[in-house]
Amino acid sequence: KLARVAQAARQAQAHPDQVRLLYGDECSLYRQPTLGAVYTLVGAEPRARLAARANTRYRLSGALDALSGQVIWTAGTKMGVRGLRQFLTTLRTGYPAHTLFLVWDNWPVHQHPEVLTHAAAQEIQLLWLPTYAPWTNPIEKLWRWLKQELVPHHRLADQWEPLKSQATTFLNQFAHGSRALLRYVGLLPD
């Protein structure tokens, strides 16, 4: 599987105006803050104040362009078959004339017949990662960075829309590509 991904990467590098390799995955953000390493004033105790509401989930589906560092993403309260179909359509819209390779993990919904049919209709070639090998997917590091920036001890549990807005701002900084992001996720040498 990794050899097929490497072959697609070579094709994208050799023909960047025609071929793109995208690493895709999903991520969830939750209303309630999590514990984690944070800075605070000396003598002050960091707190993760919880809201008196359900721990609402915000699902993100994204793809990282292995050549440019561009991130294309969609979001919703759920990311099932319908959400993934919308995501695939968004990818094709972002690259209307390219041959697209999308590297995905083995989440069962990725292999749902409707998702596979829609990927084929959008002319997106799916490449599968080895099972239980998240370290082979660079976008996982982007999700980790997003969560490190926004989630630990956040103070927006009662203000759900501003938290989602911060996630939007974070991801949109990569809308036109980023060499720094490619370096961060390990796709560019130092």
Side-chain angles (χ1 to χ4, degrees):
K1 291 180 179 181
L2 292 178
R4 180 68 182 110
V5 172
Q7 180 184 16
R10 286 190 296 275
Q11 286 180 339
Q13 289 168 347
H15 308 286
D17 294 334
Q18 300 167 359
V19 180
R20 288 299 172 139
L21 176 68
L22 308 170
Y23 287 94
D25 195 30
E26 295 73 36
C27 171
S28 294
L29 293 179
Y30 294 90
R31 173 188 295 272
Q32 305 293 7
T34 61
L35 299 177
V38 295
Y39 290 99
T40 188
L41 296 173
V42 174
E45 183 176 328
R47 297 182 187 263
R49 298 187 200 299
L50 302 180
R53 298 180 178 177
N55 196 14
T56 310
R57 180 172 62 181
Y58 186 54
R59 294 282 290 157
L60 304 166
S61 190
L64 169 63
D65 186 317
L67 294 178
S68 70
Q70 178 182 11
V71 176
I72 294 179
W73 63 281
T74 60
T77 55
K78 294 173 76 174
M79 194 55 65
V81 171
R82 185 181 333 153
L84 290 177
R85 289 178 56 169
Q86 176 60 46
F87 171 64
L88 292 169
T89 300
T90 301
L91 285 182
R92 177 44 71 196
T93 302
Y95 296 93
H98 286 82
T99 298
L100 289 184
F101 292 102
L102 176 61
V103 181
W104 249 351
D105 62 21
N106 294 282
W107 183 35
V109 182
H110 289 162
Q111 298 181 22
H112 188 281
E114 288 183 42
V115 173
L116 296 175
T117 299
H118 195 71
Q122 295 295 320
E123 298 180 355
I124 298 173
Q125 298 177 49
L126 301 177
L127 302 176
W128 304 104
L129 289 171
T131 305
Y132 305 115
W135 61 89
T136 61
N137 193 350
I139 198 170
E140 294 282 0
K141 293 178 183 174
L142 173 64
W143 298 142
R144 183 181 66 202
W145 185 9
L146 170 70
K147 289 180 178 183
Q148 286 173 339
E149 290 287 319
L150 300 182
V151 178
H153 299 273
H154 75 74
R155 297 179 180 194
L156 299 172
D158 286 320
Q159 301 168 15
W160 187 222
E161 292 306 315
L163 182 62
K164 293 192 300 187
S165 179
Q166 286 183 6
T168 297
T169 300
F170 180 88
L171 291 171
N172 283 346
Q173 71 181 310
F174 307 115
H176 301 290
S178 170
R179 291 185 61 77
L181 176 59
L182 290 174
R183 193 169 290 109
Y184 180 82
V185 301
L187 290 173
L188 257 185
D190 288 334

